[in-house]
Amino acid sequence: MRNMPKVIGTGKDVYNLLGMVQAGKLEAAELREAIGGIEEVKYIFVPVIAISEDKRYITANYLAEAAKGAKVLCEGKEYTIKSVEHIAVEPMTAAETEEETTEAKEEKQTVIGVNADLEVTAEKVGVENPVNILDTIGITQAELDSIKGVLAKYE
């Protein structure tokens, strides 16, 4: 077995690795994990501060990338953003932060409304990255899905 490369820079690299799996020179699980890593970069993850009682709104730290119509990933499920609101919150006092700053800095949070009920236990939420990693490396999601289908035969 050969070692998995540290960086997959192009879609052609993914196809070359698939060839190595098919030739028995690389474990299918390693390539599946690398593809999962590529897919995860499609999202910018932030911790969830709160989820509304009706399970339709997520509050997170300020996230400029959140936009109506974009996709969010929460606990492995993909949702569509229906509304975005940036709200100002009171900054922590110097006693709470143990810092002596004279400048009051406004802090913001982002409230994201989604199209379906969320999981109550969500710890992080991923907002679609405006820079599409798949375009950057030159492969489509359909091609990645196809490769994952082929990998299933080798696991």
Side-chain angles (χ1 to χ4, degrees):
M1 295 286 168
R2 296 200 177 183
N3 293 333
M4 183 75 176
K6 292 180 183 175
V7 177
I8 298 176
T10 67
K12 188 169 181 143
D13 292 345
V14 177
Y15 281 109
N16 289 339
L17 292 169
L18 177 61
M20 289 174 64
V21 168
Q22 291 171 325
K25 296 180 180 179
L26 182 69
E27 292 289 329
E30 288 183 74
L31 181 53
R32 180 175 291 284
E33 185 177 320
I35 289 172
I38 290 169
E39 291 177 323
E40 193 169 281
V41 175
K42 291 179 3 184
Y43 297 93
I44 299 169
F45 287 93
V46 294
V48 171
I49 294 172
I51 295 178
S52 67
E53 288 183 22
D54 66 355
K55 300 182 195 175
R56 293 285 179 128
Y57 295 92
I58 306 166
T59 303
N61 288 330
Y62 180 74
L63 196 57
E65 294 81 6
K68 187 175 180 180
K71 301 290 183 195
V72 292
L73 187 67
C74 188
E75 298 300 319
K77 289 185 175 179
E78 195 172 74
Y79 302 91
T80 301
I81 297 176
K82 294 295 181 188
S83 66
V84 176
E85 182 181 358
H86 301 290
I87 56 173
V89 293
E90 288 186 30
M92 292 191 294
T93 63
E96 292 172 341
T97 61
E98 297 182 13
E99 292 179 11
E100 295 295 327
T101 58
T102 57
E103 202 174 299
K105 186 177 178 184
E106 182 180 70
E107 294 186 23
K108 290 186 177 181
Q109 293 179 343
T110 302
V111 179
I112 301 169
V114 296
N115 64 332
D117 289 349
L118 295 156
E119 298 292 324
V120 177
T121 59
E123 292 182 16
K124 66 180 182 175
V125 63
V127 175
E128 200 170 35
N129 193 334
V131 177
N132 188 338
I133 187 67
L134 299 181
D135 290 343
T136 304
I137 67 172
I139 196 166
T140 65
Q141 184 63 50
E143 288 174 304
L144 278 183
D145 291 342
S146 175
I147 290 169
K148 289 191 289 188
V150 171
L151 287 176
K153 297 176 185 175
Y154 293 92
E155 292 183 309

